[in-house]
Amino acid sequence: QVQLKETGPGLVQPTQTLSITCTVSGFSLTSYYMQWVRQTPGKGLEWMGFIRSGGSTEYNSEFKSRLSISRDTSKNQVFLKMNSLKTEDTGVYYCARDRYNSFDYWGQGVMVTVSS
Amino acid sequence: DIQMTQSPASLSASLGETVTIECRASEDIYNGLAWYQQKPGKSPQLLIYNANSLHTGVPSRFSGSGSGTQYSLKINSLQSEDVASYFCQQYYNYWTFGGGTKLELK
């Protein structure tokens, strides 16, 4: 069955870099786009960016300068890296599978707190 | 960027009642709209895609309709397990979510 699971640090200091891994099973990353979405108290659900089945990426302009998405297909993993973190980046970060532009499977999410 | 305005922000309804949640886009999104349900502490779950297509396994009491800039999610015969927050999402031009509707039991 399809499963997605995010892993990452619970606490990150301001100005530091956030790294989250999404490990998937039950499908191939070379067949689906993968999305990153976050949910913050201030802005609710926000689309962050995605990686295509072919490996190219696109980002929300709100994050473009500090966000990077990559993957390792041999390990069935997708990675999110975001630098220059601020307290407003506190929230839950999700990876999701893209099925013709709607998101049909989501990970459980990882809570990230940005604080010194 | 396309903005999504969802209403109401919160809603209280009785078991068995029919509930409707609205979503308005800032421009025509040509049925590029999905609805998600999110229960507390859980991730969002896809209910409806392409404005009116029911996702696999979703009960038939959920339905979506609309066109252009105006869309709605209807829940017939409200069940206790439907207590959740609901979000619309446009995917005509990248992706944007509505602010959500929190549905509670009266």
Side-chain angles (χ1 to χ4, degrees), chain A residues 17-40:
Chain A
T17 297
L18 172 66
S19 295
I20 300 174
T21 298
C22 172
T23 303
V24 309
S25 60
F27 67 98
S28 172
L29 293 177
T30 60
S31 297
Y32 289 87
Y33 291 14
M34 290 297 296
Q35 301 275 1
W36 286 96
V37 175
R38 75 176 187 179
Q39 189 166 28
T40 64

PDB file of all heavy atoms in Angstrom, chain A residues 17-40:
ATOM      1  N   THR A  17      19.295  25.961   8.911  1.00  0.00           N
ATOM      2  CA  THR A  17      18.694  25.267   7.779  1.00  0.00           C
ATOM      3  C   THR A  17      17.859  24.090   8.247  1.00  0.00           C
ATOM      4  O   THR A  17      18.284  23.324   9.116  1.00  0.00           O
ATOM      5  CB  THR A  17      19.789  24.761   6.816  1.00  0.00           C
ATOM      6  OG1 THR A  17      20.486  25.900   6.281  1.00  0.00           O
ATOM      7  CG2 THR A  17      19.191  23.956   5.671  1.00  0.00           C
ATOM      8  N   LEU A  18      16.661  23.956   7.662  1.00  0.00           N
ATOM      9  CA  LEU A  18      15.754  22.843   7.926  1.00  0.00           C
ATOM     10  C   LEU A  18      15.960  21.762   6.867  1.00  0.00           C
ATOM     11  O   LEU A  18      15.987  22.062   5.666  1.00  0.00           O
ATOM     12  CB  LEU A  18      14.313  23.324   7.879  1.00  0.00           C
ATOM     13  CG  LEU A  18      13.208  22.269   7.940  1.00  0.00           C
ATOM     14  CD1 LEU A  18      13.219  21.564   9.289  1.00  0.00           C
ATOM     15  CD2 LEU A  18      11.848  22.900   7.665  1.00  0.00           C
ATOM     16  N   SER A  19      16.103  20.523   7.331  1.00  0.00           N
ATOM     17  CA  SER A  19      16.198  19.393   6.409  1.00  0.00           C
ATOM     18  C   SER A  19      15.176  18.337   6.806  1.00  0.00           C
ATOM     19  O   SER A  19      15.165  17.887   7.955  1.00  0.00           O
ATOM     20  CB  SER A  19      17.596  18.775   6.446  1.00  0.00           C
ATOM     21  OG  SER A  19      18.559  19.678   5.980  1.00  0.00           O
ATOM     22  N   ILE A  20      14.314  17.976   5.853  1.00  0.00           N
ATOM     23  CA  ILE A  20      13.288  16.965   6.097  1.00  0.00           C
ATOM     24  C   ILE A  20      13.368  15.914   4.992  1.00  0.00           C
ATOM     25  O   ILE A  20      13.564  16.250   3.812  1.00  0.00           O
ATOM     26  CB  ILE A  20      11.866  17.582   6.111  1.00  0.00           C
ATOM     27  CG1 ILE A  20      11.755  18.641   7.206  1.00  0.00           C
ATOM     28  CG2 ILE A  20      10.811  16.488   6.324  1.00  0.00           C
ATOM     29  CD1 ILE A  20      10.434  19.395   7.195  1.00  0.00           C
ATOM     30  N   THR A  21      13.235  14.661   5.391  1.00  0.00           N
ATOM     31  CA  THR A  21      13.217  13.548   4.439  1.00  0.00           C
ATOM     32  C   THR A  21      11.821  12.934   4.399  1.00  0.00           C
ATOM     33  O   THR A  21      11.206  12.734   5.445  1.00  0.00           O
ATOM     34  CB  THR A  21      14.233  12.472   4.844  1.00  0.00           C
ATOM     35  OG1 THR A  21      15.547  13.032   4.813  1.00  0.00           O
ATOM     36  CG2 THR A  21      14.182  11.276   3.900  1.00  0.00           C
ATOM     37  N   CYS A  22      11.353  12.664   3.193  1.00  0.00           N
ATOM     38  CA  CYS A  22      10.075  11.975   2.989  1.00  0.00           C
ATOM     39  C   CYS A  22      10.404  10.617   2.373  1.00  0.00           C
ATOM     40  O   CYS A  22      10.918  10.568   1.243  1.00  0.00           O
ATOM     41  CB  CYS A  22       9.187  12.788   2.074  1.00  0.00           C
ATOM     42  SG  CYS A  22       7.661  11.965   1.543  1.00  0.00           S
ATOM     43  N   THR A  23      10.122   9.554   3.092  1.00  0.00           N
ATOM     44  CA  THR A  23      10.371   8.205   2.598  1.00  0.00           C
ATOM     45  C   THR A  23       9.038   7.594   2.157  1.00  0.00           C
ATOM     46  O   THR A  23       8.079   7.595   2.927  1.00  0.00           O
ATOM     47  CB  THR A  23      11.020   7.346   3.679  1.00  0.00           C
ATOM     48  OG1 THR A  23      12.231   7.975   4.112  1.00  0.00           O
ATOM     49  CG2 THR A  23      11.349   5.947   3.134  1.00  0.00           C
ATOM     50  N   VAL A  24       9.019   7.096   0.926  1.00  0.00           N
ATOM     51  CA  VAL A  24       7.759   6.591   0.376  1.00  0.00           C
ATOM     52  C   VAL A  24       7.863   5.096   0.088  1.00  0.00           C
ATOM     53  O   VAL A  24       8.963   4.553  -0.091  1.00  0.00           O
ATOM     54  CB  VAL A  24       7.378   7.345  -0.919  1.00  0.00           C
ATOM     55  CG1 VAL A  24       7.430   8.859  -0.698  1.00  0.00           C
ATOM     56  CG2 VAL A  24       8.233   6.942  -2.093  1.00  0.00           C
ATOM     57  N   SER A  25       6.720   4.452   0.043  1.00  0.00           N
ATOM     58  CA  SER A  25       6.642   3.045  -0.347  1.00  0.00           C
ATOM     59  C   SER A  25       5.315   2.801  -1.054  1.00  0.00           C
ATOM     60  O   SER A  25       4.367   3.574  -0.898  1.00  0.00           O
ATOM     61  CB  SER A  25       6.783   2.131   0.877  1.00  0.00           C
ATOM     62  OG  SER A  25       5.756   2.394   1.796  1.00  0.00           O
ATOM     63  N   GLY A  26       5.293   1.750  -1.840  1.00  0.00           N
ATOM     64  CA  GLY A  26       4.062   1.388  -2.543  1.00  0.00           C
ATOM     65  C   GLY A  26       3.912   2.010  -3.911  1.00  0.00           C
ATOM     66  O   GLY A  26       2.924   1.754  -4.599  1.00  0.00           O
ATOM     67  N   PHE A  27       4.855   2.851  -4.318  1.00  0.00           N
ATOM     68  CA  PHE A  27       4.826   3.450  -5.653  1.00  0.00           C
ATOM     69  C   PHE A  27       6.228   3.953  -5.972  1.00  0.00           C
ATOM     70  O   PHE A  27       7.092   4.023  -5.095  1.00  0.00           O
ATOM     71  CB  PHE A  27       3.809   4.590  -5.742  1.00  0.00           C
ATOM     72  CG  PHE A  27       4.142   5.808  -4.926  1.00  0.00           C
ATOM     73  CD1 PHE A  27       4.743   6.912  -5.510  1.00  0.00           C
ATOM     74  CD2 PHE A  27       3.855   5.848  -3.570  1.00  0.00           C
ATOM     75  CE1 PHE A  27       5.051   8.030  -4.758  1.00  0.00           C
ATOM     76  CE2 PHE A  27       4.157   6.950  -2.809  1.00  0.00           C
ATOM     77  CZ  PHE A  27       4.765   8.045  -3.398  1.00  0.00           C
ATOM     78  N   SER A  28       6.420   4.333  -7.217  1.00  0.00           N
ATOM     79  CA  SER A  28       7.733   4.778  -7.669  1.00  0.00           C
ATOM     80  C   SER A  28       7.772   6.300  -7.815  1.00  0.00           C
ATOM     81  O   SER A  28       6.860   6.908  -8.381  1.00  0.00           O
ATOM     82  CB  SER A  28       8.069   4.141  -9.012  1.00  0.00           C
ATOM     83  OG  SER A  28       9.242   4.697  -9.543  1.00  0.00           O
ATOM     84  N   LEU A  29       8.858   6.898  -7.345  1.00  0.00           N
ATOM     85  CA  LEU A  29       9.041   8.349  -7.489  1.00  0.00           C
ATOM     86  C   LEU A  29       9.228   8.745  -8.943  1.00  0.00           C
ATOM     87  O   LEU A  29       9.058   9.926  -9.288  1.00  0.00           O
ATOM     88  CB  LEU A  29      10.247   8.814  -6.676  1.00  0.00           C
ATOM     89  CG  LEU A  29      10.133   8.707  -5.155  1.00  0.00           C
ATOM     90  CD1 LEU A  29      11.443   9.126  -4.497  1.00  0.00           C
ATOM     91  CD2 LEU A  29       8.977   9.540  -4.633  1.00  0.00           C
ATOM     92  N   THR A  30       9.560   7.811  -9.794  1.00  0.00           N
ATOM     93  CA  THR A  30       9.734   8.119 -11.221  1.00  0.00           C
ATOM     94  C   THR A  30       8.407   8.103 -11.973  1.00  0.00           C
ATOM     95  O   THR A  30       8.367   8.368 -13.176  1.00  0.00           O
ATOM     96  CB  THR A  30      10.708   7.138 -11.895  1.00  0.00           C
ATOM     97  OG1 THR A  30      10.197   5.814 -11.764  1.00  0.00           O
ATOM     98  CG2 THR A  30      12.090   7.216 -11.259  1.00  0.00           C
ATOM     99  N   SER A  31       7.315   7.806 -11.249  1.00  0.00           N
ATOM    100  CA  SER A  31       5.989   7.782 -11.877  1.00  0.00           C
ATOM    101  C   SER A  31       5.072   8.896 -11.390  1.00  0.00           C
ATOM    102  O   SER A  31       4.000   9.116 -11.976  1.00  0.00           O
ATOM    103  CB  SER A  31       5.307   6.441 -11.624  1.00  0.00           C
ATOM    104  OG  SER A  31       6.036   5.380 -12.209  1.00  0.00           O
ATOM    105  N   TYR A  32       5.436   9.553 -10.313  1.00  0.00           N
ATOM    106  CA  TYR A  32       4.571  10.575  -9.719  1.00  0.00           C
ATOM    107  C   TYR A  32       5.363  11.835  -9.372  1.00  0.00           C
ATOM    108  O   TYR A  32       6.547  11.766  -9.009  1.00  0.00           O
ATOM    109  CB  TYR A  32       3.928  10.058  -8.428  1.00  0.00           C
ATOM    110  CG  TYR A  32       2.870   9.001  -8.641  1.00  0.00           C
ATOM    111  CD1 TYR A  32       3.215   7.655  -8.734  1.00  0.00           C
ATOM    112  CD2 TYR A  32       1.534   9.354  -8.749  1.00  0.00           C
ATOM    113  CE1 TYR A  32       2.250   6.687  -8.935  1.00  0.00           C
ATOM    114  CE2 TYR A  32       0.554   8.389  -8.940  1.00  0.00           C
ATOM    115  CZ  TYR A  32       0.922   7.061  -9.037  1.00  0.00           C
ATOM    116  OH  TYR A  32      -0.042   6.101  -9.233  1.00  0.00           O
ATOM    117  N   TYR A  33       4.692  12.990  -9.460  1.00  0.00           N
ATOM    118  CA  TYR A  33       5.217  14.210  -8.889  1.00  0.00           C
ATOM    119  C   TYR A  33       5.057  14.111  -7.372  1.00  0.00           C
ATOM    120  O   TYR A  33       4.097  13.485  -6.873  1.00  0.00           O
ATOM    121  CB  TYR A  33       4.430  15.428  -9.357  1.00  0.00           C
ATOM    122  CG  TYR A  33       4.569  15.810 -10.812  1.00  0.00           C
ATOM    123  CD1 TYR A  33       5.128  14.956 -11.760  1.00  0.00           C
ATOM    124  CD2 TYR A  33       4.106  17.041 -11.263  1.00  0.00           C
ATOM    125  CE1 TYR A  33       5.223  15.326 -13.092  1.00  0.00           C
ATOM    126  CE2 TYR A  33       4.196  17.431 -12.583  1.00  0.00           C
ATOM    127  CZ  TYR A  33       4.755  16.561 -13.493  1.00  0.00           C
ATOM    128  OH  TYR A  33       4.845  16.921 -14.807  1.00  0.00           O
ATOM    129  N   MET A  34       5.957  14.732  -6.637  1.00  0.00           N
ATOM    130  CA  MET A  34       5.878  14.787  -5.188  1.00  0.00           C
ATOM    131  C   MET A  34       5.860  16.240  -4.743  1.00  0.00           C
ATOM    132  O   MET A  34       6.648  17.058  -5.233  1.00  0.00           O
ATOM    133  CB  MET A  34       7.058  14.067  -4.552  1.00  0.00           C
ATOM    134  CG  MET A  34       7.001  12.544  -4.730  1.00  0.00           C
ATOM    135  SD  MET A  34       5.586  11.792  -3.920  1.00  0.00           S
ATOM    136  CE  MET A  34       5.949  12.172  -2.200  1.00  0.00           C
ATOM    137  N   GLN A  35       4.971  16.525  -3.810  1.00  0.00           N
ATOM    138  CA  GLN A  35       4.736  17.888  -3.365  1.00  0.00           C
ATOM    139  C   GLN A  35       5.170  18.074  -1.913  1.00  0.00           C
ATOM    140  O   GLN A  35       5.168  17.119  -1.136  1.00  0.00           O
ATOM    141  CB  GLN A  35       3.235  18.204  -3.461  1.00  0.00           C
ATOM    142  CG  GLN A  35       2.647  18.065  -4.843  1.00  0.00           C
ATOM    143  CD  GLN A  35       2.839  19.326  -5.668  1.00  0.00           C
ATOM    144  OE1 GLN A  35       3.427  20.303  -5.208  1.00  0.00           O
ATOM    145  NE2 GLN A  35       2.330  19.312  -6.899  1.00  0.00           N
ATOM    146  N   TRP A  36       5.487  19.320  -1.572  1.00  0.00           N
ATOM    147  CA  TRP A  36       5.691  19.699  -0.183  1.00  0.00           C
ATOM    148  C   TRP A  36       4.702  20.812   0.172  1.00  0.00           C
ATOM    149  O   TRP A  36       4.552  21.786  -0.575  1.00  0.00           O
ATOM    150  CB  TRP A  36       7.122  20.175   0.054  1.00  0.00           C
ATOM    151  CG  TRP A  36       8.125  19.059   0.066  1.00  0.00           C
ATOM    152  CD1 TRP A  36       8.895  18.630  -0.973  1.00  0.00           C
ATOM    153  CD2 TRP A  36       8.474  18.230   1.186  1.00  0.00           C
ATOM    154  NE1 TRP A  36       9.691  17.583  -0.576  1.00  0.00           N
ATOM    155  CE2 TRP A  36       9.458  17.317   0.749  1.00  0.00           C
ATOM    156  CE3 TRP A  36       8.057  18.161   2.518  1.00  0.00           C
ATOM    157  CZ2 TRP A  36      10.025  16.351   1.577  1.00  0.00           C
ATOM    158  CZ3 TRP A  36       8.616  17.212   3.349  1.00  0.00           C
ATOM    159  CH2 TRP A  36       9.583  16.322   2.881  1.00  0.00           C
ATOM    160  N   VAL A  37       4.049  20.623   1.317  1.00  0.00           N
ATOM    161  CA  VAL A  37       3.056  21.572   1.820  1.00  0.00           C
ATOM    162  C   VAL A  37       3.354  21.793   3.295  1.00  0.00           C
ATOM    163  O   VAL A  37       3.732  20.847   3.993  1.00  0.00           O
ATOM    164  CB  VAL A  37       1.624  21.000   1.667  1.00  0.00           C
ATOM    165  CG1 VAL A  37       0.592  21.935   2.302  1.00  0.00           C
ATOM    166  CG2 VAL A  37       1.296  20.749   0.197  1.00  0.00           C
ATOM    167  N   ARG A  38       3.171  23.006   3.763  1.00  0.00           N
ATOM    168  CA  ARG A  38       3.314  23.225   5.189  1.00  0.00           C
ATOM    169  C   ARG A  38       2.029  23.858   5.743  1.00  0.00           C
ATOM    170  O   ARG A  38       1.233  24.426   4.996  1.00  0.00           O
ATOM    171  CB  ARG A  38       4.520  24.087   5.509  1.00  0.00           C
ATOM    172  CG  ARG A  38       4.354  25.560   5.206  1.00  0.00           C
ATOM    173  CD  ARG A  38       5.585  26.321   5.646  1.00  0.00           C
ATOM    174  NE  ARG A  38       5.385  27.778   5.506  1.00  0.00           N
ATOM    175  CZ  ARG A  38       6.309  28.662   5.846  1.00  0.00           C
ATOM    176  NH1 ARG A  38       7.488  28.266   6.329  1.00  0.00           N
ATOM    177  NH2 ARG A  38       6.053  29.950   5.705  1.00  0.00           N
ATOM    178  N   GLN A  39       1.853  23.732   7.041  1.00  0.00           N
ATOM    179  CA  GLN A  39       0.677  24.293   7.712  1.00  0.00           C
ATOM    180  C   GLN A  39       1.170  25.072   8.929  1.00  0.00           C
ATOM    181  O   GLN A  39       1.715  24.488   9.868  1.00  0.00           O
ATOM    182  CB  GLN A  39      -0.277  23.184   8.133  1.00  0.00           C
ATOM    183  CG  GLN A  39      -1.623  23.657   8.634  1.00  0.00           C
ATOM    184  CD  GLN A  39      -2.633  22.511   8.722  1.00  0.00           C
ATOM    185  OE1 GLN A  39      -2.277  21.352   8.908  1.00  0.00           O
ATOM    186  NE2 GLN A  39      -3.918  22.829   8.580  1.00  0.00           N
ATOM    187  N   THR A  40       1.010  26.381   8.867  1.00  0.00           N
ATOM    188  CA  THR A  40       1.487  27.243   9.937  1.00  0.00           C
ATOM    189  C   THR A  40       0.329  27.983  10.579  1.00  0.00           C
ATOM    190  O   THR A  40      -0.708  28.203   9.938  1.00  0.00           O
ATOM    191  CB  THR A  40       2.500  28.275   9.409  1.00  0.00           C
ATOM    192  OG1 THR A  40       1.833  29.151   8.474  1.00  0.00           O
ATOM    193  CG2 THR A  40       3.681  27.608   8.737  1.00  0.00           C
TER     194      THR A  40
END
